[in-house]
Amino acid sequence: MGPEWVAIIALVALFVAGTLLPINMGALAYVAAWLVGMFALDLDEKEILAGVSADLILTLIGVTYLFAIARNNGTVDLIVSSAVRAVGGRVALIPWVMFGVTALLTAMGAASPAACAIIGPVALGFAGRYKINPLMMGMFVVHGAQGGGFSPISIYGTITNSVMVDNGLPASEMTVFLTSLVVNLIMAAILFFALGGRSLMSMRLDPDEAASAAAGVPGELNEGGVTVPARGYGTVAPTGTKPGIRTEQVLTLAAFVIVAAIALFFDKNIGFASITAATVLAALSPSQHKDAIRQIAWPTVLLVAGVSTYATILNTAGSPEFVGGWAAGLGVAAIGALILCYVGAVVSAFASSTALLPIIIPIAVPLIAEGGISAAMFVAALAISSTIVDVSPFSTNGALMLANRPETITEERYYKQILGYSVIVVLVGPLLVWATMVLPGW
């Protein structure tokens, strides 16, 4: 058995173990990299570790550190409450506000599960109070997280763009970002009209109640001109006055803008820019942010570091060229591209999208080189196929929505709804993405 097969079999075992066992897949990837590297490729430890990207690790640490500070000083709450107040009492706009706020958070650098964990309880609380379909609301949050998840300063975007550059592919930050945003917006629109969004258009809230509800305050619902109490959900917080914007929140918002500008317009390392901004903010309020360092997404850092190390082992073993050559050998490069889109979707529905991206993109390189497929559109198709399936109840995002279900629906019923929707997405999503982005040969 050649080393390319050993590396592929170990990869499958890695994903199976990471799915069945409560062990960080990054730790499993380090073990696999060490064993395959030493015994199948005859590499020493320094050669095995040579593939870790210091830029990528610094970026993950920097952006999640900055986001932790934004959460600590209330900037995230400010964004949520301001967006909710902006609906002006229109119930039909609440799901779209949740989509937009979650997309903004991931676009700013929040990990997708972190954004879903923050917005999910708020969104599903609204669903319980104002009789919005819980499946629609929960999936809006997940699709929002994925829609903003490929911005140039996001975790997904940073990983994808770094892997493309490392594999000699032309950078296409905005192409991947905008295509992901558009696809998730379309899926949200379909959900909106399929799950009762049209009936919400006649409902109105008191505008002040819309913002208060984000903190758990019940409001009144106007249905067809008749005002009725909204149905309760969970613990009710006391009504308070509208909070003012504090100086540290203004500084934090300015920091995000400056970091984005440095990365996009001056082409500087986003990791250095983010950690510098976070350090400055922490220095201005040291007592408030002394524990922010603990809120860095360390499990994600371990995950990406381990998986990127194993991705190097795969490349050294020649596995990407082997799989890509096989797919290209099918006679039609586009068919091979469709197969890879489905592989990404099925694997990611049960495992980590963050872990999958550094592995599946290099596998696509031979198809791009030999089949004349657009690198930007194919990578975008792979990235979208591998992340839209995070609605699955077996993924972190889907599980968070299930865990925060409103009391108006049973856990078993909500689980079946999420599972049914995720099956549809896995079966149909990659095909539609492939048909619109790869098949036309843009």
Side-chain angles (χ1 to χ4, degrees), residues 323-349:
V323 175
W326 171 78
L330 295 175
V332 181
I335 299 300
L338 176 61
I339 291 173
L340 288 184
C341 285
Y342 268 107
V343 169
V346 172
V347 172
S348 186

Side-chain angles (χ1 to χ4, degrees), residues 220-233:
E220 293 182 335
L221 189 63
N222 186 299
E223 300 181 83
V226 179
T227 300
V228 297
R231 297 185 179 181
Y233 172 75

Side-chain angles (χ1 to χ4, degrees), residues 43 84 89 95 109 115 159 185 220 224 231 289 298 309 311 327 330 366 378 391:
L43 301 176
V84 168
I159 292 172
L185 274 170
E220 293 182 335
R231 297 185 179 181
H289 301 306
W298 294 115
T309 300
L330 295 175
F378 187 17
V391 295

Side-chain angles (χ1 to χ4, degrees), residues 87-439:
V87 304
R90 297 175 178 85
V91 176
L93 293 181
I94 292 177
W96 293 105
V97 169
M98 297 304 162
F99 180 101
V101 173
T102 314
L104 178 61
L105 293 180
T106 54
M108 288 164 53
S112 180
C116 288
I118 293 168
I119 305 302
V122 176
L124 289 167
F126 271 111
R129 290 186 189 92
Y130 303 117
K131 297 185 291 187
I132 302 172
N133 188 297
L135 178 63
M136 176 177 70
M137 189 68 98
M139 297 304 98
F140 260 61
V141 172
V142 178
H143 283 306
Q146 306 311 88
F150 284 94
S151 82
I153 62 172
S154 69
I155 292 178
Y156 281 158
T158 300
I159 292 172
T160 302
N161 298 325
S162 297
V163 173
M164 290 183 72
V165 172
D166 291 344
N167 286 273
L169 300 176
S172 55
E173 294 95 337
M174 296 308 296
T175 298
V176 177
F177 172 42
L178 293 177
T179 51
S180 176
L181 180 58
V182 169
V183 167
N184 281 280
L185 274 170
I186 292 173
M187 297 184 74
I190 293 172
L191 281 170
F192 183 80
F193 289 104
L195 298 178
R198 190 182 301 273
S199 65
L200 300 178
M201 294 180 180
S202 62
M203 300 181 183
R204 293 290 186 271
L205 298 173
D206 182 299
D208 290 332
E209 296 290 353
S212 299
V217 181
E220 293 182 335
L221 189 63
N222 186 299
E223 300 181 83
V226 179
T227 300
V228 297
R231 297 185 179 181
Y233 172 75
T235 303
V236 176
T239 304
T241 59
K242 180 182 176 181
I245 300 177
R246 302 193 303 273
T247 301
E248 59 187 341
Q249 294 171 339
V250 174
L251 293 175
T252 303
L253 291 172
F256 277 112
V257 173
I258 292 171
V259 168
I262 290 174
L264 294 176
F265 302 115
F266 297 97
D267 196 26
K268 298 299 181 181
N269 185 287
I270 184 66
F272 278 119
S274 298
I275 205 166
T276 299
T279 302
V280 171
L281 291 172
L284 293 175
S285 302
S287 59
Q288 181 180 8
H289 301 306
K290 63 181 180 179
D291 293 329
I293 198 75
R294 299 179 183 177
Q295 300 174 42
I296 293 174
W298 294 115
T300 302
V301 172
L302 174 59
L303 172 67
V304 172
V307 171
S308 63
T309 300
Y310 191 76
T312 300
I313 296 297
L314 276 175
N315 288 328
T316 303
S319 299
E321 291 81 2
F322 177 78
V323 175
W326 171 78
L330 295 175
V332 181
I335 299 300
L338 176 61
I339 291 173
L340 288 184
C341 285
Y342 268 107
V343 169
V346 172
V347 172
S348 186
F350 295 93
S352 168
S353 301
T354 309
L356 181 66
L357 290 173
I359 293 174
I360 199 166
I361 294 175
I363 292 176
V365 171
L367 274 178
I368 295 171
E370 299 175 18
I373 297 176
S374 166
M377 297 306 289
F378 187 17
V379 169
L382 282 175
I384 294 169
S385 298
S386 301
T387 53
I388 57 173
V389 296
D390 281 1
V391 295
S392 164
F394 305 112
S395 71
T396 304
N397 291 349
L400 283 168
M401 297 306 106
L402 180 62
N404 288 286
R405 65 174 179 83
E407 294 177 352
T408 54
I409 188 171
T410 65
E411 182 175 3
E412 181 181 1
R413 183 183 175 192
Y414 198 39
Y415 168 77
K416 290 181 178 178
Q417 289 182 354
I418 296 176
L419 180 61
Y421 177 64
S422 63
V423 169
I424 294 173
V425 172
V426 170
L427 293 178
V428 180
L431 178 62
L432 295 181
V433 169
W434 169 82
T436 55
M437 300 175 64
V438 177
L439 189 59

